Amino acid sequence: MFKHVALLVRKDGMSHEEFRDYWENNHSPLAKDIEGVVRYQTVYPTEPEHAEFDGLAELYFETLDDLHEALGSEGSRDYDPTREVAAKAREDVNNFLDVERRPRFIGEEKVWKDEVDGDTEGLYKHSAFLVRKDGMSHEEFRDYWENNHSPLAKDIEGVVRYQTVYPTDPENAEFDGVAELYFEDLDDLYEALGSEGSRDYDPTREVAAKAREDVNNFLAVEDRPRFIGQEKLWKNEIDDVDGY
């Protein structure tokens, strides 16, 4: 399953409230029906005034060709889909997004832990857009992330679902990967990973503290955007793929 994550930044002159109203009532009803989309979900910031982005849009496709046709390929923001709904959605983003300031990521998802049977709607989610340390290759980064950090991170206190997303085209990807951690309680998320508006956090729970210390071994933390929000599911045609 291939996933496109768009980190949304609103147009100049538009408030977050105006952005969200347009996104929810105009764009999302269109985006969920883009040809090839089998799952569509949005993530709204828990603290918009402190969030690094105005929201996340996450679209899943069964084939990479369908994703590229609808949303473009990594390494390029210029795309002109030929399918009807995809073309309408592409035109519509100009009404509420600053496209040039909107990072995005295309990858394949791996689920490490799932205590909610794939039902993530309404859960609190921390998405970390990972940037490797200087002097480390992408391959070295991925090896450490998979074999050292993820086995630890999935057991952070309060985590009910943990998944990673690996880039389909690492050389052209904007990030080295995405780590997505779900919590049922926002206080548990803040204790484990810090609150919006601050990169300085010092968790007191055992595994969370070990994971916080370990990120320094492979991540450029200050270069790593992140987003804390609550998920809303708009469409799901996936029966049971990787925990969904």
Side-chain angles (χ1 to χ4, degrees), residues 16-37:
H16 174 78
E17 291 71 23
E18 291 169 332
F19 158 86
R20 178 163 174 171
D21 180 72
Y22 191 93
W23 184 25
E24 279 200 293
N25 296 303
N26 295 78
H27 189 74
S28 287
L30 184 63
K32 71 179 178 62
D33 292 328
I34 288 173
E35 294 84 355
V37 170

Side-chain angles (χ1 to χ4, degrees), residues 4-14 19 22 27 53-55 57 70-73 75-81 86-105 174-175:
H4 181 283
V5 184
L7 295 74
L8 307 184
V9 178
R10 66 184 183 270
K11 283 180 64 172
D12 286 343
M14 178 178 273
F19 158 86
Y22 191 93
H27 189 74
F53 305 97
D54 288 287
L71 300 169
S73 60
S76 174
R77 295 293 181 84
D78 298 321
Y79 61 102
D80 186 18
K88 288 180 180 177
R90 174 64 187 90
E91 183 179 0
D92 187 58
V93 298
N94 297 325
N95 292 323
F96 72 115
L97 293 183
D98 186 335
V99 177
E100 292 305 314
R101 292 172 56 212
R102 180 206 68 179
R104 63 182 191 142
F105 186 84
E174 299 193 30
F175 307 104

Side-chain angles (χ1 to χ4, degrees), residues 27-63:
H27 189 74
S28 287
L30 184 63
K32 71 179 178 62
D33 292 328
I34 288 173
E35 294 84 355
V37 170
V38 294
R39 182 180 174 103
Y40 175 68
Q41 59 205 29
T42 53
V43 192
Y44 304 112
T46 52
E47 297 181 33
E49 66 275 14
H50 293 131
E52 297 190 31
F53 305 97
D54 288 287
L56 304 181
E58 303 181 343
L59 301 90
Y60 290 77
F61 297 78
E62 290 185 346
T63 75

